[in-house]
Amino acid sequence: MADRISRRDALRHTAALALAASAPAIRTAKASTIGLKEPMIPIVDTHQHLWDTTKFTLPWLKPGEPLSRSYLMADYLAATAGQNVVKTIYMEVDLRVDQQAAEADYVIGLCRAGDNPMVGAVISGRPSSDGFKAYIGKYKDTPEVKGLRQVLHGEETPPGYCLSPAFIAGIRHLGELGKSYDICIRPAELADAARLVDACPGTSFILDHCGNADVRSKDRSAWKSGIDALAKKPNLVCKVSGIVASAKGFPWTADDLAPIVDHVLDAFGPDRVIFGGDWPVCTLAATYIEWLDALKEIIADRSESDRRKLFHDNALRIYHLS
């Protein structure tokens, strides 16, 4: 850890001339010193949101809020231009339940279009519902559908929801079909996530957003304990994504994100972590490039092999991509 801190200190020194600029410019200047003498690592973005508000209703989007508009593939390509994003995995957007099948059809179509980097999708679903087996069974032989997610941190979802017998049965069935489950849960409920993973040993899990750690939190001891417990589960990996959005309204720097990222990378090891852009949600606090540059700065002293695993190689293995 001391070596990583020293490296970041050195990088800050080389960017000293930029300190008079704005906060976003400072982050870009610091990160721009990374990797200039080596080839740009190709990126598999395992957490790509898109939504078309002319087609779908997202109940959590409120009129007038920053994200309350359509975000389409063309917007994503513009936001990530020049970053060597070679493949993406779509992540469901918690839309209206009766639109879940239409969402799946929409993103499968994008995967098959061949004119964009999307190659797979984690679709919406309700594992505890009576019709879940019939619903997910339609995608058993659809290679573009890699897994499923139901967001567990919404206000209407109580703690312990994922531990009901019906929910566990649905998640076990996912494993039987060869599909994974993305866990997106409040940090105070990481113990629930651990119990769910233990109850479904035949299912592969991905923990979203570093367990939803809050950048602004002063005490992360409970979160760290939860992460350490989950890191012991052999059928779970962690997605380094999402955390920058929790810095909304906060003048963050890479050093604010570093304790979360470093703890997750050290706990899970280089073979069980993957990168996620979480665009456009990340734009609540940063552009895609600002988030990516900050992460590159944080991991700059790790080996090229480990950085490549995080950004590219692990995702190919975990999501069974060619």
Side-chain angles (χ1 to χ4, degrees):
M1 182 69 72
D3 290 342
R4 286 194 287 276
I5 293 172
S6 296
R7 175 62 181 271
R8 287 196 293 272
D9 287 343
L11 290 167
R12 281 198 297 273
H13 178 71
T14 65
L17 293 178
L19 289 179
S22 63
I26 291 171
R27 293 194 294 271
T28 303
K30 289 165 61 179
S32 67
T33 65
I34 309 298
L36 294 179
K37 297 182 180 180
E38 62 186 33
M40 184 180 287
I41 294 173
I43 292 173
V44 179
D45 184 348
T46 67
H47 209 94
Q48 176 198 23
H49 294 302
L50 298 174
W51 56 78
D52 185 342
T53 57
T54 69
K55 298 178 182 292
F56 302 112
T57 299
L58 285 61
W60 56 273
L61 279 182
K62 307 303 180 186
E65 292 184 347
L67 299 177
S68 188
R69 66 172 181 85
S70 293
Y71 288 88
L72 307 179
M73 181 62 76
D75 301 312
Y76 176 82
L77 295 177
T80 61
Q83 303 309 301
N84 204 20
V85 177
V86 297
K87 298 179 190 291
T88 70
I89 300 291
Y90 172 81
M91 177 55 61
E92 65 89 25
V93 295
D94 200 21
L95 43 59
R96 234 170 50 193
V97 172
D98 64 325
Q99 295 180 334
Q100 289 175 343
E103 176 193 32
D105 292 342
Y106 171 64
V107 296
I108 290 169
L110 285 172
C111 291
R112 294 175 178 175
D115 60 358
N116 66 84
M118 187 186 292
V119 294
V122 175
I123 63 172
S124 303
R126 295 294 181 267
S128 61
S129 65
D130 291 339
F132 180 69
K133 284 191 175 183
Y135 167 75
I136 196 61
K138 294 186 298 183
Y139 307 107
K140 177 180 183 295
D141 298 317
T142 304
E144 292 86 2
V145 175
K146 304 300 182 180
L148 181 132
R149 183 177 79 161
Q150 176 181 355
V151 170
L152 299 174
H153 59 65
E155 293 180 1
E156 72 284 358
T157 306
Y161 175 88
C162 66
L163 299 177
S164 72
F167 193 95
I168 289 172
I171 300 302
R172 287 175 176 170
H173 185 62
L174 270 181
E176 293 167 1
L177 298 181
K179 310 296 185 184
S180 61
Y181 182 73
D182 270 63
I183 302 175
C184 196
I185 199 167
R186 289 173 284 256
E189 294 157 30
L190 291 178
D192 287 352
R195 291 173 64 189
L196 174 64
V197 173
D198 284 341
C200 306
T203 303
S204 296
F205 292 87
I206 298 96
L207 180 68
D208 290 351
H209 306 333
C210 299
N212 277 315
D214 190 337
V215 172
R216 295 168 296 181
S217 176
K218 301 300 182 184
D219 181 6
R220 300 194 189 103
S221 56
W223 169 81
K224 286 181 178 179
S225 296
I227 289 295
D228 292 345
L230 284 166
K232 297 176 182 178
K233 313 299 180 185
N235 55 327
L236 179 140
V237 301
C238 188
K239 189 177 294 184
V240 181
S241 62
I243 58 173
V244 72
S246 69
K248 177 183 178 182
F250 176 74
W252 64 274
T253 69
D255 286 338
D256 296 306
L257 310 183
I260 297 170
V261 173
D262 283 334
H263 187 81
V264 162
L265 295 183
D266 292 339
F268 280 88
D271 296 314
R272 295 172 58 213
V273 288
I274 53 179
F275 166 74
D278 195 31
W279 182 93
V281 179
C282 69
T283 64
L284 292 173
T287 67
Y288 189 102
I289 293 174
E290 286 172 349
W291 155 231
L292 182 59
D293 281 351
L295 180 57
K296 287 181 177 180
E297 178 184 336
I298 293 165
I299 65 170
D301 65 316
R302 294 180 186 262
S303 72
E304 192 274 341
S305 174
D306 287 358
R307 287 181 277 128
R308 189 179 179 90
K309 288 178 179 180
L310 170 65
F311 283 120
H312 181 268
D313 295 356
N314 290 345
L316 298 185
R317 183 187 77 251
I318 289 162
Y319 284 108
H320 309 290
L321 304 176
S322 60

